[in-house]
Amino acid sequence: MEGVGGGLGLSLLLCIETSCDDTSAAVVEIAAEATTIRSSIVSSQHEFHAAFGGVVPEVASRRHTELLVPAVAAALADAGAGWDDLDAVAVTTGPGLIGALLVGLAAAKAIAYARRLPLTPVDHLQGHLAAAYALGVEAPFVCLTASGGHTLLAVVEHGVEFRVVGRTLDDAAGEAFDKGARLLGLPYPGGRELDLLAAAGDPAFVAFPRSLPRGFDFSFSGLKTALLYYLRDHEGEVEIEARRASIAASYQEAIIDQLVSKTVRFAEQEGLRRVAVGGGVAANSRLRRRLTDACEQRGLEVFVPPVALCTDNAAMVGLAARYLEPLAWPHYLSLDAYAAEPALGEPRRRP
Ligand code: KG4
Ligand code: ZN
């Protein structure tokens, strides 16, 4: 199904994403043959949350209200676009932090209503998996989406319609990175810090357990506990202090083994030849390398979006909006945000 771009020819979209702690705005051009990212602004709030060691929802909402207007202005300026050039607005409506989402949604509604434009609500997970479209992937493809809140293995059947085949039974992969980083004494946001530290380490230094739940589900909470016990058992040892990079690399490897092995096994089993990845964890340098190698070894075509399209950003909202029906002016005014992903089989909410 083609949305904004399909019937209308060329459209210029203002896209907004505020589901967590990144205030993002982008201008994306949808044409019949391709979607072009004209600008993408991400105002990270990390410095405001670092003191708390994690995202504080109330702080995130307040910062979005301060940062969103300048982010939108910068996205328009970078794209060389004015308000009159816009044809539609697209915005993430969930899942995520409800207060944070509402800031982006209220702004998107206000802009769209004032300009008499249609508005496209976009699911955050659909945004993450649409990032691969920037590389020209064609559906159907297997997509591993791993972020701070979700770990999903899915088949993208067409556009941004997906069928979930595996999900985490406990912590999300990003949570495993963040909790591991915290145990290793790394600053927030932990995933990227752990990635950097691990780069200098030996991934075979500690044989952390590989939990392999049945089918294509994932599990990371046992691994986190194994790291906790390992560090407790070796506390104060000089050797251990010197090998922190290797402990980080071993922990990271256990997460990545699970993600990569299940993804390629599923693709092979289903006979799907295209594999993509998305979400903040897909920014991980080791995961990018290992997934690419594993796919190439098996003759699978792999799509690893640029880091800026993996971590939260508004350009992916535009990439997804291409495939979604916009709501006509002014029928989106009662549209609500949602914190949790709808249960399997339940429709995504529309007003
Ligand atoms: O998609 P995202 O930006 O926000 C959510 O939707 O949650 O993902 C954030 C997650 C965090 O857990 C963060 O630590 C992780 O992605 N992350 C990484 C890296 N960069 C971000 N994890 C591992 N290595 C990285 N380089
Ligand atoms: Zn995300």
Side-chain angles (χ1 to χ4, degrees):
M1 179 184 69
E2 294 274 293
V4 182
L8 302 180
L10 190 109
S11 319
L12 204 63
L13 262 73
L14 174 67
C15 308
I16 292 176
E17 148 62 53
T18 61
S19 65
C20 190
D21 61 340
D22 290 304
T23 313
S24 318
V27 173
V28 164
E29 188 178 299
I30 298 182
E33 60 289 352
T35 307
T36 309
I37 299 166
R38 293 264 299 259
S39 66
S40 180
I41 301 291
V42 179
S43 294
S44 168
Q45 306 179 0
H46 293 164
E47 62 192 282
F48 302 115
H49 301 280
F52 304 99
V55 179
V56 183
E58 179 61 21
V59 173
S61 310
R62 286 171 186 266
R63 293 298 172 188
H64 284 311
T65 58
E66 290 169 12
L67 297 170
L68 188 55
V69 172
V72 167
L76 288 170
D78 278 11
W83 295 110
D84 289 344
D85 300 319
L86 297 175
D87 299 298
V89 178
V91 62
T92 305
T93 46
L97 301 173
I98 195 71
L101 288 160
L102 284 170
V103 175
L105 178 56
K109 280 183 192 173
I111 294 166
Y113 184 74
R115 312 288 318 167
R116 295 186 165 250
L117 298 175
L119 184 142
T120 305
V122 176
D123 182 276
H124 188 60
L125 296 171
Q126 292 187 314
H128 275 310
L129 55 83
Y133 283 116
L135 303 180
V137 69
E138 280 175 31
F141 62 95
V142 174
C143 190
L144 170 70
T145 306
S147 69
H150 298 89
T151 309
L152 282 189
L153 188 60
V155 182
V156 180
E157 305 196 304
H158 44 84
V160 285
E161 289 307 312
F162 62 95
R163 172 167 60 89
V164 177
V165 296
R167 56 175 77 232
T168 183
L169 301 177
D170 39 58
D171 293 346
E175 231 177 317
F177 269 101
D178 295 337
K179 289 179 177 171
R182 195 194 273 244
L183 290 171
L184 285 161
L186 296 169
Y188 167 86
R192 193 170 160 272
E193 295 290 330
L194 201 150
D195 183 359
L196 293 171
L197 176 65
D202 169 12
F205 181 64
V206 189
F208 284 119
R210 268 56 176 164
S211 67
L212 288 174
R214 280 181 29 188
F216 296 101
D217 286 333
F218 304 95
S219 165
F220 300 104
S221 66
L223 175 62
K224 177 193 63 196
T225 311
L227 175 63
L228 176 73
Y229 289 156
Y230 182 87
L231 292 171
R232 197 176 278 172
D233 291 348
H234 295 85
E235 208 178 338
E237 291 175 21
V238 181
E239 161 77 350
I240 283 307
E241 262 315 295
R243 300 306 296 265
R244 269 181 62 221
S246 291
I247 300 167
S250 304
Y251 180 80
Q252 172 177 272
E253 204 69 358
I255 299 174
I256 292 173
D257 270 354
Q258 210 184 128
L259 295 174
V260 171
S261 64
K262 294 225 170 182
T263 303
V264 294
R265 190 154 56 78
F266 176 73
E268 286 198 308
Q269 180 184 301
E270 293 290 300
L272 289 159
R273 309 309 301 165
R274 289 181 289 272
V275 173
V277 67
V281 176
N284 183 270
S285 55
R286 181 83 178 159
L287 174 60
R288 298 168 76 83
R289 177 81 270 135
R290 290 270 323 269
L291 187 67
T292 303
D293 291 349
C295 288
E296 282 174 359
Q297 277 160 19
R298 290 164 179 81
L300 303 169
E301 207 180 340
V302 65
F303 298 85
V304 181
V307 168
L309 284 178
C310 291
T311 48
D312 286 348
N313 67 91
M316 68 185 191
V317 172
L319 289 161
R322 177 189 188 95
Y323 302 100
L324 297 166
E325 274 312 314
L327 299 165
W329 184 91
H331 297 297
Y332 40 77
L333 290 179
S334 61
L335 186 66
D336 208 354
Y338 53 96
E341 182 69 356
L344 280 182
E346 244 181 61
R348 289 192 169 71
R349 284 178 219 175
R350 310 274 290 185

